[in-house]
Amino acid sequence: MRTVTRLAGFAVGLAAVFGATYGIGRVVDPAPVAESQHDGAAAPTADDRNATADRLPGGLLVSERGYTLEPVDAPAGEFAFRIAGPDGRPVTRYEVAHDKKMHLIVARRDLSGFRHVHPALAPDGTWRVDTPLGGPGQWRAFADFTPTGGEPLTLGVDVTVPGELTERQLPAPAASTTVDGYTVTLTGAPQPGRTSPLTLTVSRDGRPVTDLEPYLGAYGHLVALRRGDLAYLHVHPDGTPGDGRTRPGPAVTFLADVPSAGSYRLYLDFQHGGRVHTAEFTVVAGAATTASVPTPSGPAPTGGADHGTPGHGHN
Ligand SMILES: [Cu+2]
């Protein structure tokens, strides 16, 4: 039973990931805790520390590898921050990734209010943008960037917008959703611990959209946030415009690496008609390992892209 073996190994891996990320994610200021954990426990080697950092999903830490995300006081209606570098000074040199030097993603802790914006860099290293924070609540802001001479990083920080807030329930998993008159259908299911293809198919008025416009160097940009700690997941587009094989819709395929079972919210940005639209999905990874095991029926799943038909057992 290859599947059973894999699931068992998987559960052990999950415990490790959850143990690490949950402990950190629950603390107000994660960076010092991460350091004290490393310093306090049986003196891990530098290799151990690097290995741990490599396994952590992005966005859980406000400070990593010497770089720290520092919100800056800003006028009403504006959001501003800096990235302090290893020398303590604001970083002013960045590499372009996905068409931009800085991607700022925000979402409330209940996974509502997602926005993905691109701030402007001032010469002193301050990033400024019309605030994407859409009202009261506990927000998480993610800075996704590559400092010149460094590795890609996603740092995260909590931001509170005062006022009356209404916690929103996470919408139930669904195979399709609508946004701005478009219907977007998701096929594929993320499988913890391995790369899973997710395909999003865009239609409008019942007809496939075959003239998607490149956005951030791809026909779509997908961000996934994990419920509970808002781990920020890298989801890479499979193919780029102009590579001779990637078509401008209706289907856009991504390769997702989710680190654990659990619920995730997917946010697909795509451009059509000169405007960016965001379609949102709830997906549950590894449902069979946490819920009751579904009764086998029909042929065993073969894995991969043919998952994700409605009623696949994810709930
Ligand atoms: Cu971006």
Side-chain angles (χ1 to χ4, degrees):
M1 294 297 289
R2 188 172 58 89
T3 304
V4 171
T5 307
R6 188 171 62 216
L7 288 180
F10 190 62
V12 173
L14 281 189
V17 170
F18 265 129
T21 59
Y22 210 65
I24 292 168
R26 305 280 291 186
V27 178
V28 173
D29 187 358
V33 173
E35 283 162 16
S36 67
Q37 279 179 345
H38 291 319
D39 294 341
T45 66
D47 281 351
D48 289 340
R49 284 195 292 270
N50 289 339
T52 301
D54 287 346
R55 279 199 303 273
L56 271 183
L60 294 173
L61 302 178
V62 74
S63 184
E64 188 175 358
R65 283 182 247 149
Y67 295 89
T68 302
L69 170 55
E70 298 179 340
V72 171
D73 286 340
E78 185 180 291
F79 186 80
F81 61 98
R82 287 186 296 249
I83 305 296
D87 61 1
R89 307 234 296 264
V91 176
T92 56
R93 295 172 63 226
Y94 295 83
E95 300 301 315
V96 171
H98 299 289
D99 271 1
K100 300 288 179 182
K101 290 183 174 177
M102 176 64 69
H103 302 266
L104 178 71
I105 281 88
V106 302
R108 283 193 190 84
R109 281 268 169 202
D110 64 7
L111 297 172
S112 69
F114 175 91
R115 289 282 310 280
H116 175 171
V117 297
H118 301 107
L121 178 62
D124 70 352
T126 304
W127 291 96
R128 299 181 185 281
V129 67
D130 289 346
T131 185
L133 304 176
Q138 299 293 333
W139 292 83
R140 188 78 174 161
F142 303 93
D144 183 339
F145 63 96
T146 304
T148 296
E151 300 287 308
L153 267 179
T154 303
L155 302 177
V157 69
D158 282 349
V159 183
T160 301
V161 178
E164 185 127 353
L165 73 103
T166 314
E167 181 108 345
R168 197 188 66 155
Q169 290 286 325
L170 186 66
S176 79
T177 189
T178 57
V179 57
D180 306 333
Y182 297 87
T183 297
V184 183
T185 301
L186 169 69
T187 52
Q191 300 298 317
R194 65 186 166 102
T195 300
S196 312
L198 301 177
T199 297
L200 294 125
T201 305
V202 183
S203 66
R204 190 180 197 185
D205 301 328
R207 284 191 295 277
V209 173
T210 56
D211 56 350
L212 290 175
E213 296 153 4
Y215 175 62
L216 303 176
Y219 288 122
H221 193 86
L222 187 64
V223 165
L225 298 178
R226 179 167 63 186
R227 183 188 205 178
D229 64 2
L230 276 71
Y232 174 97
L233 304 178
H234 298 271
V235 187
H236 303 285
D238 181 24
T240 54
D243 66 2
R245 67 180 179 90
T246 304
R247 307 174 70 85
V252 187
T253 296
F254 296 87
L255 302 173
D257 288 300
V258 300
S260 70
S263 294
Y264 295 81
R265 190 75 168 156
L266 306 183
Y267 308 88
L268 171 72
D269 290 331
F270 64 94
Q271 185 174 313
H272 189 248
R275 298 187 60 181
V276 176
H277 313 278
T278 305
E280 302 188 14
F281 293 85
T282 299
V283 297
V284 180
T289 63
T290 53
S292 57
V293 176
T295 307
S297 64
T302 55
D306 55 350
H307 276 197
T309 48
H312 184 60
H314 296 167
N315 198 359

Short mmCIF file of all heavy atoms in Angstrom, two decimals, residues 97-100 102-105 116-119 144 215-216 221 223 232 269, ligand 1:
data_model
loop_
_atom_site.label_atom_id
_atom_site.label_comp_id
_atom_site.label_asym_id
_atom_site.label_seq_id
_atom_site.Cartn_x
_atom_site.Cartn_y
_atom_site.Cartn_z
N ALA A 97 11.34 40.93 -9.85
CA ALA A 97 10.82 39.56 -9.90
C ALA A 97 9.34 39.66 -10.24
O ALA A 97 8.63 40.48 -9.64
CB ALA A 97 11.02 38.85 -8.56
N HIS A 98 8.88 38.86 -11.16
CA HIS A 98 7.49 38.97 -11.63
C HIS A 98 7.18 40.43 -11.99
O HIS A 98 6.17 41.00 -11.56
CB HIS A 98 6.48 38.46 -10.59
CG HIS A 98 6.65 37.01 -10.26
ND1 HIS A 98 6.34 35.99 -11.13
CD2 HIS A 98 7.14 36.41 -9.16
CE1 HIS A 98 6.62 34.84 -10.57
NE2 HIS A 98 7.10 35.06 -9.38
N ASP A 99 8.08 41.04 -12.73
CA ASP A 99 7.87 42.39 -13.28
C ASP A 99 8.01 43.53 -12.28
O ASP A 99 7.91 44.69 -12.66
CB ASP A 99 6.48 42.53 -13.93
CG ASP A 99 6.50 42.14 -15.39
OD1 ASP A 99 7.58 41.75 -15.89
OD2 ASP A 99 5.45 42.24 -16.04
N LYS A 100 8.19 43.25 -11.00
CA LYS A 100 8.21 44.33 -10.00
C LYS A 100 9.32 44.09 -8.98
O LYS A 100 9.71 42.95 -8.72
CB LYS A 100 6.87 44.38 -9.24
CG LYS A 100 5.65 44.64 -10.12
CD LYS A 100 5.61 46.06 -10.60
CE LYS A 100 4.39 46.29 -11.49
NZ LYS A 100 4.34 47.65 -12.02
N MET A 102 8.88 45.08 -5.82
CA MET A 102 8.22 44.83 -4.53
C MET A 102 6.78 44.46 -4.78
O MET A 102 6.07 45.15 -5.51
CB MET A 102 8.29 46.08 -3.64
CG MET A 102 7.57 45.97 -2.30
SD MET A 102 8.27 44.72 -1.18
CE MET A 102 9.85 45.47 -0.75
N HIS A 103 6.38 43.34 -4.18
CA HIS A 103 4.97 42.94 -4.20
C HIS A 103 4.47 43.04 -2.76
O HIS A 103 5.03 42.40 -1.87
CB HIS A 103 4.81 41.50 -4.70
CG HIS A 103 5.39 41.29 -6.08
ND1 HIS A 103 4.65 41.39 -7.23
CD2 HIS A 103 6.66 41.02 -6.48
CE1 HIS A 103 5.42 41.16 -8.28
NE2 HIS A 103 6.66 40.94 -7.86
N LEU A 104 3.45 43.84 -2.55
CA LEU A 104 2.86 43.96 -1.21
C LEU A 104 1.50 43.29 -1.25
O LEU A 104 0.63 43.67 -2.04
CB LEU A 104 2.73 45.43 -0.81
CG LEU A 104 2.08 45.65 0.57
CD1 LEU A 104 3.01 45.22 1.69
CD2 LEU A 104 1.67 47.11 0.75
N ILE A 105 1.34 42.28 -0.41
CA ILE A 105 0.08 41.55 -0.34
C ILE A 105 -0.48 41.76 1.06
O ILE A 105 0.25 41.69 2.05
CB ILE A 105 0.31 40.04 -0.62
CG1 ILE A 105 0.45 39.79 -2.12
CG2 ILE A 105 -0.86 39.21 -0.10
CD1 ILE A 105 1.81 39.92 -2.66
N HIS A 116 -3.32 42.92 -3.63
CA HIS A 116 -1.94 42.73 -4.11
C HIS A 116 -1.58 44.00 -4.86
O HIS A 116 -2.17 44.28 -5.90
CB HIS A 116 -1.92 41.49 -5.01
CG HIS A 116 -0.60 41.22 -5.67
ND1 HIS A 116 -0.36 40.07 -6.36
CD2 HIS A 116 0.54 41.95 -5.76
CE1 HIS A 116 0.87 40.09 -6.85
NE2 HIS A 116 1.44 41.23 -6.51
N VAL A 117 -0.65 44.78 -4.31
CA VAL A 117 -0.33 46.09 -4.88
C VAL A 117 1.18 46.24 -5.01
O VAL A 117 1.96 45.43 -4.49
CB VAL A 117 -0.91 47.23 -4.01
CG1 VAL A 117 -2.44 47.15 -3.99
CG2 VAL A 117 -0.35 47.19 -2.60
N HIS A 118 1.58 47.31 -5.70
CA HIS A 118 2.99 47.53 -5.99
C HIS A 118 3.39 48.93 -5.56
O HIS A 118 3.13 49.90 -6.27
CB HIS A 118 3.25 47.26 -7.47
CG HIS A 118 2.88 45.86 -7.84
ND1 HIS A 118 1.78 45.53 -8.59
CD2 HIS A 118 3.46 44.68 -7.49
CE1 HIS A 118 1.70 44.22 -8.69
NE2 HIS A 118 2.69 43.68 -8.03
N PRO A 119 4.02 49.03 -4.40
CA PRO A 119 4.42 50.33 -3.88
C PRO A 119 5.55 50.95 -4.70
O PRO A 119 6.23 50.26 -5.47
CB PRO A 119 4.92 50.02 -2.46
CG PRO A 119 4.52 48.61 -2.18
CD PRO A 119 4.38 47.94 -3.50
N ASP A 144 7.04 40.86 -0.52
CA ASP A 144 7.64 39.78 -1.31
C ASP A 144 8.65 40.44 -2.26
O ASP A 144 8.26 41.22 -3.14
CB ASP A 144 6.51 39.08 -2.07
CG ASP A 144 6.97 37.88 -2.88
OD1 ASP A 144 8.17 37.78 -3.20
OD2 ASP A 144 6.12 37.03 -3.23
N TYR A 215 0.07 39.53 -17.03
CA TYR A 215 0.08 40.32 -15.81
C TYR A 215 1.23 39.81 -14.95
O TYR A 215 1.29 38.62 -14.65
CB TYR A 215 -1.26 40.19 -15.07
CG TYR A 215 -1.28 40.88 -13.73
CD1 TYR A 215 -1.10 42.26 -13.64
CD2 TYR A 215 -1.45 40.16 -12.56
CE1 TYR A 215 -1.11 42.90 -12.42
CE2 TYR A 215 -1.47 40.79 -11.32
CZ TYR A 215 -1.29 42.16 -11.26
OH TYR A 215 -1.28 42.79 -10.05
N LEU A 216 2.15 40.68 -14.62
CA LEU A 216 3.32 40.30 -13.84
C LEU A 216 4.08 39.17 -14.53
O LEU A 216 4.55 38.23 -13.89
CB LEU A 216 2.93 39.90 -12.41
CG LEU A 216 2.17 40.98 -11.62
CD1 LEU A 216 1.74 40.43 -10.27
CD2 LEU A 216 3.03 42.22 -11.45
N HIS A 221 -1.47 35.33 -11.62
CA HIS A 221 -0.56 35.36 -10.47
C HIS A 221 -1.35 34.80 -9.31
O HIS A 221 -2.44 35.29 -9.00
CB HIS A 221 -0.12 36.80 -10.21
CG HIS A 221 1.03 36.91 -9.28
ND1 HIS A 221 2.33 36.82 -9.71
CD2 HIS A 221 1.09 37.10 -7.95
CE1 HIS A 221 3.14 36.95 -8.68
NE2 HIS A 221 2.41 37.12 -7.60
N VAL A 223 -1.59 33.56 -5.31
CA VAL A 223 -1.07 33.56 -3.95
C VAL A 223 -1.95 32.63 -3.13
O VAL A 223 -3.16 32.60 -3.31
CB VAL A 223 -1.11 34.98 -3.36
CG1 VAL A 223 -0.92 34.96 -1.84
CG2 VAL A 223 -0.04 35.87 -4.01
N TYR A 232 2.46 32.13 3.79
CA TYR A 232 2.35 32.66 2.43
C TYR A 232 3.09 31.69 1.51
O TYR A 232 4.26 31.40 1.73
CB TYR A 232 2.99 34.04 2.42
CG TYR A 232 3.12 34.73 1.09
CD1 TYR A 232 2.17 35.66 0.68
CD2 TYR A 232 4.22 34.50 0.26
CE1 TYR A 232 2.30 36.33 -0.53
CE2 TYR A 232 4.35 35.17 -0.95
CZ TYR A 232 3.39 36.08 -1.33
OH TYR A 232 3.53 36.75 -2.52
N ASP A 269 -4.96 36.48 -9.39
CA ASP A 269 -5.03 37.75 -10.12
C ASP A 269 -4.85 37.44 -11.60
O ASP A 269 -3.88 36.79 -11.99
CB ASP A 269 -3.89 38.69 -9.69
CG ASP A 269 -4.06 39.22 -8.28
OD1 ASP A 269 -5.21 39.35 -7.82
OD2 ASP A 269 -3.03 39.51 -7.64
CU CU B 1 2.96 41.85 -7.22
#
